[in-house]
Amino acid sequence: MYQFPTWRYWLVAIVMIAGILLALPNIFGDDPALQLAREDRAAIDASGEQKVRSILDAKQVPIAASHILEDRLVLRFATVDEQLKARDVITDAAGEEFQVALTNEPRTPSWLRWMGLKPMSLGLDLRGGIHFMYEVDVKGAVGQALERIERDIRTQLRDQRIASNVAARDGTIRVTLVDAQKQSEVASLIRTSDPNLTVTTEGSADVIVAMTPDQIRQRQSFAIQQNITTLRNRVNELGVSEPIVTQQGIDRIVVQLPGLQDPNQAIRILGATATLEFRMVDEANDPYAAEQSKRVPIGSKLYQRREGGPILLKRDIIVSGDQLTDATSAFAEGLPAVSVRLDDRGGKEMLKTTQAHLGQRMAVVYIEKKRLAPGETCKGVRSGDQCTEEEVINAATIQGVFSSNFQITGLQHQEAQELALLLRSGSLATANYLVEQRVIGPSMGQDNIQSGLRAMMIGMALTFVFLILYYRAFGAIACVVLAANVILLVAVMSLLQASLSLPGIAGIVLTVGMAADANVLIYERVREELRLGNTPQASINAGFDKAFSAIADSNITTLIVGIVLFAFGTGPIKGFAVTLVIGIATSLFTAVVGSRVLIQLIWGRQRKLAALPV
Amino acid sequence: MEFFRKTPNIGFMQNRVWCYGISAVLILGSIVLLALRGLNLGIDFTGGVIVEVGYTNSVDLDRARDATEAAGFRDPVVQTVGSSREIMVKVLPKEGEDINHVAERIVAALKTVDASAQLRRTDVVGSQVGGELAEKGGLALLFSMIGILIYVGIRFEKKMATGTVLAALHDPFVILGFFALTQMTFDLSVLAAVLAVMGYSINDTVVVFDRVREVFQKMRKASPLEVVNAAVNQTLSRTLMTSFSTLFVVTSLYIVGGESLKGFSMAIIIGVVVGTFSSIFIAAALALDMKLKATDLMPPQKDTSELDAIP
């Protein structure tokens, strides 16, 4: 008699127990919840919790539960309506104090959480939120680098008193020398100053300087990395739970903000490039005269003041935005302000300046770079569709000596808050252009989950009925196997923390339909073997053995398609491919190993078996 | 229950001219439809803005359209989604428009119709993204076909690999034709469905070919036509069974899966029907007409004498 290896029973038992455990956290569902963080980034304590609770009590919004997690307050609600109402109530009553974000809190029991088990993470289309895709202006980043090189060459040649014309065009810099004799000298000068550049001579008096492909690539990836880091910092400041910031393709960044509803605040903060500069005021000349005559004294620069009127500032920058290490919004003498802290070098520079210029005025310049929409006018300096607006927000007399800690006034409250946030999170290396934006409202997410699950239930029920009608007891086995397949699929998704989207649910549903195939192949084979007059035992064995090559080949080809979809796909295609690929793997295991074990367990050990219920 | 009490013996391969005929009609029809009507491409591919809002009471579509136009959008598509209280507005991008605030302006316009408007969803896709997605979809198609060609070529045989890929390419045409006919929106999820259908169709074909290989070994005296026909017949009840179970689930997905999966599930429904047909009849028939023989599937004989002849 055929000896069925016992280790297979154990394998299936262990895999199924592990699968059920891993999949278990998913059945408890989510509570709609709010996550609160303090605007000033301080931790929320029990008194803060009490305050929020009393605000909600006053408006009779019931709270299911609340707890403090990592300095933030999490409030659970029974329904989405209560959650939304609570958000409005808190924003109205204490919006200045708290940032409120919508979120879902899993109802996972504590013993499962203790084991480190989590439910699948839900995609934005199932939980609501905002999705942005930015294109990083990598060309701009390379252009900036080239400009810097051009500037360096120009200063170098000026220092060496070599008369020349330096011009950058189409990614190269052309240096045209007046004195052709100096061509090789200049070439080697540039080469020694930056050995990474490619320097060639052309004609009798031209030197061509270009960045190597390596340098360009480095510059690009630096710009993207810098922008990702900055976006990440900014997203963290938005107070969203579980934000995602990832690179996509060569020059794209995807930002996902679950629970957030208002894209405008997010767009403003993620896309902004505001920064500050500190300069001394030029008191010796008259700014109005300079504005009228359009003749600005050497060493000075003409600016506009926010409250109106021109002002002349010294060209030399004392400190710029990238020397700030921290910034928070605050109030100074009742006015909104930004408290800043400078790094070491900036602090020393500030100390020196304030010592030397006590009693004179120092100005704060607010600089904002943005991309212009067609027809929009640029109030500042325009280059292409980029607009740089500079404005003096504050020019105050230096009352005393200070170095690295001080406050700046002259902004509105919200501006102060946002500027502080932007200064804290660092600047973007180059502009990001928004190319895609998707907002999914919370009710939409709920609808999507419900309809997806309902479709799965009905589809599975129909398949089960059909399988049992067609294959009788073996059909029932197939149903158990298919259910096990879904459990394992959910388990693997939870383990990998792959995010489940609506197309992902469609993938699971489709997998159920296609996973039936492996069972069908086996049972059809068993029937064929029985028709040939083989004994039930031999038919089972032969059925499984002979069906295997067809099962393997057909699944591997589908797997190839799934992997290609995963590699090339974005968004819905990727979500679908993930479940398809995992589904193939789990259905192979359940159909080939799992159903074999079940059938063996039920019919395989009976020595005298007259017929098979197939 | 059984579809067939005993293994059927239907002369599919003898009548394969009919199968080719049906295929030719389907493909030509699809090409004509695609050329005449074209696809109703979603904003995933064209770029554009979709805003969906829900009202507490049903609203007049014309008023919503007027409000959107008044906000400065030309030719908006305005329609209901599911119930008459939920409406969707779609506008195509204007050249060089700042996409940051388009959705916001439309929502504001829809609120003027009835202040109860609640945002359900907005999709804003810049026009530069669209072209790329189509390109990536094409690449995915190409690479999966190459992968299949290699795998089936190694595991089976060249003629079978060609038949598999041709049959698999047959299905997307018909799905595209259907979408051109009905003008249902062709978006990214439909593209995913098209690719999934190819996976499904190949899966079906491979099962038939696996049986062809086996029958060649069993029926050594039979002609290739008899062998292929026997294999198709022997796998027929499995093919029908799997098609039904897949149809059950995708049909329920179509009916209750919600608005956003309608296109996806419809594409798969069409694909399963056509894919079943193409994988059984077209793939096998093509392999047969490429003069598939038993010897194609035998392991190559090692000819040692030739090796010895090399000095």
Side-chain angles (χ1 to χ4, degrees), chain A residues 522-560:
Chain A
I522 294 166
Y523 300 160
E524 286 297 321
R525 271 295 173 154
V526 174
R527 280 183 172 181
E528 275 179 50
E529 295 297 320
L530 285 173
R531 266 187 227 133
L532 291 174
N534 292 326
T535 65
Q537 277 301 343
S539 297
I540 292 176
N541 291 334
F544 272 94
D545 291 346
K546 287 187 179 167
F548 184 75
S549 80
I551 294 174
D553 283 337
S554 63
N555 277 291
I556 288 169
T557 45
T558 317
L559 196 64
I560 293 175

Side-chain angles (χ1 to χ4, degrees), chain B residues 179-225:
Chain B
F179 274 77
L181 178 72
T182 56
Q183 291 289 301
M184 282 174 82
T185 309
F186 190 91
D187 59 16
L188 211 50
S189 61
V190 179
L191 182 68
V194 169
L195 295 166
V197 161
M198 296 182 62
Y200 176 87
S201 165
I202 289 165
N203 184 318
D204 251 5
T205 310
V206 165
V207 171
V208 175
F209 281 171
D210 180 78
R211 188 56 76 105
V212 169
R213 181 169 55 188
E214 192 187 313
V215 177
F216 261 125
Q217 280 157 14
K218 269 194 208 152
M219 301 165 55
R220 289 188 179 260
K221 299 235 172 69
S223 73
L225 188 138

Side-chain angles (χ1 to χ4, degrees), chain A residues 358-375:
Chain A
L358 209 62
Q360 289 174 308
R361 287 192 297 161
M362 183 168 65
V364 183
V365 188
Y366 180 84
I367 304 167
E368 200 177 355
K369 286 191 185 127
K370 55 184 180 188
R371 189 192 207 187
L372 290 176

Side-chain angles (χ1 to χ4, degrees), chain A residues 30-33 62-65 75-83 107:
Chain A
D30 289 325
D31 279 331
I63 308 170
L75 301 168
R76 289 167 182 267
F77 299 91
T79 65
V80 175
D81 285 344
E82 284 167 12
Q83 172 203 31
R107 276 189 292 246

Side-chain angles (χ1 to χ4, degrees), chain A residues 437-486:
Chain A
Q437 171 204 327
R438 293 178 199 270
V439 183
I440 301 103
S443 58
M444 187 85 181
Q446 280 292 325
D447 288 357
N448 280 345
I449 290 193
Q450 272 166 14
S451 48
L453 285 184
R454 203 177 310 138
M456 192 158 112
M457 295 296 172
I458 296 175
M460 278 182 81
L462 281 172
T463 310
F464 283 6
V465 170
F466 190 53
L467 281 172
I468 292 174
L469 276 180
Y470 199 76
Y471 292 119
R472 296 184 289 153
F474 269 52
I477 301 280
C479 297
V480 174
V481 168
L482 285 184
N485 179 37
V486 173

Side-chain angles (χ1 to χ4, degrees), chain A residues 320-342:
Chain A
S320 63
D322 51 359
Q323 286 167 296
L324 291 162
T325 54
D326 194 15
T328 45
S329 67
F331 283 90
E333 290 152 19
L335 290 171
V338 179
S339 305
V340 296
R341 182 194 306 255
L342 299 178

Side-chain angles (χ1 to χ4, degrees), chain A residues 242-260:
Chain A
E242 298 173 62
I244 298 171
V245 181
T246 49
Q247 183 171 357
Q248 182 175 303
I250 305 164
D251 57 356
R252 298 273 166 80
I253 301 173
V254 168
V255 178
Q256 298 202 323
L257 308 169
L260 213 63

